[in-house]
Amino acid sequence: ESTIETDGSSSVTIMIPELGRLLIDNSSNISRTKNSNQIELDKGQIRKFEGDASDVLTVLTPLAKFTELYKGGAFRLHVEDNGECNLTVESGWVIVNIKEFDSYVPKNFDCLISKGRYAIPYPSDSSPQLVSLLQNFSGINDPSVGTILSLMTKKESLSLWHIIQLISTENRSIAFDRLNELIPAPSGVTKEGVLALNKTMLLDWRQEIELK
C-alpha cells in the first residue's frame, strides 16, 4: 500500500512482479492496494508496457476501474485533476467498468471516461465528429443516436456494439440492423435476443467482432 508521487520534472519506471513494467509519468500519484495485481491512480499518467506477465493488471481511478482482458498488454491511462480519464490501448484489451457497465477497449482504440457519460470506445483514427458524439453520449435519450448510426463504418463496429446496449428498444432495432450489415451476427445470435439484451448473445457477437 505504498505511494509514488512524481513532480513536474520527474518520472519513474517500475517492475511489478507478475504484471510487468510500468512508467509513472510526471505530475502523477499512484499507490498499491492490498491486492497484488491492483494499483490506484489518483492523477497523472501511467503507461503499461507489453511483455510477459502471469496476471492481469487492474487500475482504480476516481471514476472507473480498468482491467486487462488478457495478460501482458500495453496501454496508456491519464487521469485529469477533475477525475476525467483518457485511455489508449496499444496492445491487448482493457475492460472499463463504470457502475456495472463494462466497456471493452481493444488495440488502437481510445476511450474517454467523464462524469455522467458512458465510456464508448472508438478507433483512434475515427472522424472528429463521430469521436465527439461518442465522447459525449449520454444514454437512452441522447438526441444524436441517428447521426451516430449514420457515421458508423465497419471499423467502428465495436463502438456500435456498445451503443446498442444503451439506447431505447426502438433505436436498438435500427442499430441491430446496422451492426448486422457491418459484422453479421454469428449463429445463435438473434435479433429478438439482442433487443432483450441477452448477455450470452451479446458476448458471442462481441467475440465475432474481435475476430473480424
Side-chain angles (χ1 to χ4, degrees), residues 145 149 152 157 160-165 167-198 201-202 205 209:
V145 171
L149 295 180
M152 289 286 186
S157 298
L160 181 51
W161 178 86
H162 287 82
I163 291 288
I164 280 178
Q165 302 172 65
I167 54 181
S168 67
T169 303
E170 180 182 355
N171 285 330
R172 190 175 300 143
S173 177
I174 300 170
F176 175 94
D177 293 339
R178 179 65 178 138
L179 182 56
N180 199 39
E181 291 176 9
L182 300 173
I183 304 288
S187 176
V189 175
T190 65
K191 185 171 185 177
E192 293 74 21
V194 171
L195 295 184
L197 298 181
N198 180 286
M201 291 187 183
L202 285 167
W205 208 351
I209 294 170

Side-chain angles (χ1 to χ4, degrees), residues 2-193:
S2 300
T3 297
I4 293 179
E5 185 172 358
T6 58
D7 61 22
S9 59
S10 64
S11 63
V12 61
T13 302
I14 61 173
M15 177 67 75
I16 302 178
E18 301 181 348
L19 297 175
R21 195 159 53 98
L22 191 71
L23 168 69
I24 304 164
D25 216 333
N26 54 40
S27 302
S28 300
N29 191 322
I30 80 160
S31 57
R32 296 292 298 273
T33 71
K34 291 182 179 180
N35 297 327
S36 61
N37 67 333
Q38 185 172 274
I39 64 172
E40 190 165 346
L41 176 62
D42 292 324
K43 67 173 184 176
Q45 178 169 279
I46 60 170
R47 181 178 182 186
K48 167 75 166 40
F49 294 96
E50 186 176 26
D52 292 335
S54 58
D55 203 351
V56 294
L57 173 65
T58 292
V59 184
L60 305 179
T61 72
L63 293 182
K65 179 172 75 172
F66 301 80
T67 303
E68 292 181 289
L69 182 60
Y70 304 114
K71 303 169 186 175
F75 62 88
R76 286 180 284 118
L77 178 61
H78 185 268
V79 178
E80 304 283 357
D81 290 340
N82 64 0
E84 185 174 277
C85 305
N86 285 279
L87 171 69
T88 298
V89 178
E90 298 171 339
S91 71
W93 288 64
V94 174
I95 303 172
V96 184
N97 178 263
I98 304 174
K99 294 181 179 178
E100 299 181 354
F101 183 78
D102 288 338
S103 299
Y104 292 81
V105 189
K107 177 182 177 180
N108 297 327
F109 270 59
D110 296 342
C111 190
L112 175 70
I113 297 88
S114 55
K115 193 171 183 179
R117 295 286 184 268
Y118 288 98
I120 308 297
Y122 50 86
S124 305
D125 59 352
S126 288
S127 71
Q129 181 185 6
L130 181 56
V131 168
S132 178
L133 292 174
L134 294 176
Q135 288 179 339
N136 292 286
F137 182 75
S138 58
I140 191 168
N141 296 316
D142 194 300
S144 63
V145 171
T147 305
I148 289 174
L149 295 180
S150 69
L151 293 172
M152 289 286 186
T153 66
K154 186 174 182 179
K155 70 181 181 181
E156 284 96 18
S157 298
L158 185 67
S159 307
L160 181 51
W161 178 86
H162 287 82
I163 291 288
I164 280 178
Q165 302 172 65
L166 302 170
I167 54 181
S168 67
T169 303
E170 180 182 355
N171 285 330
R172 190 175 300 143
S173 177
I174 300 170
F176 175 94
D177 293 339
R178 179 65 178 138
L179 182 56
N180 199 39
E181 291 176 9
L182 300 173
I183 304 288
S187 176
V189 175
T190 65
K191 185 171 185 177
E192 293 74 21

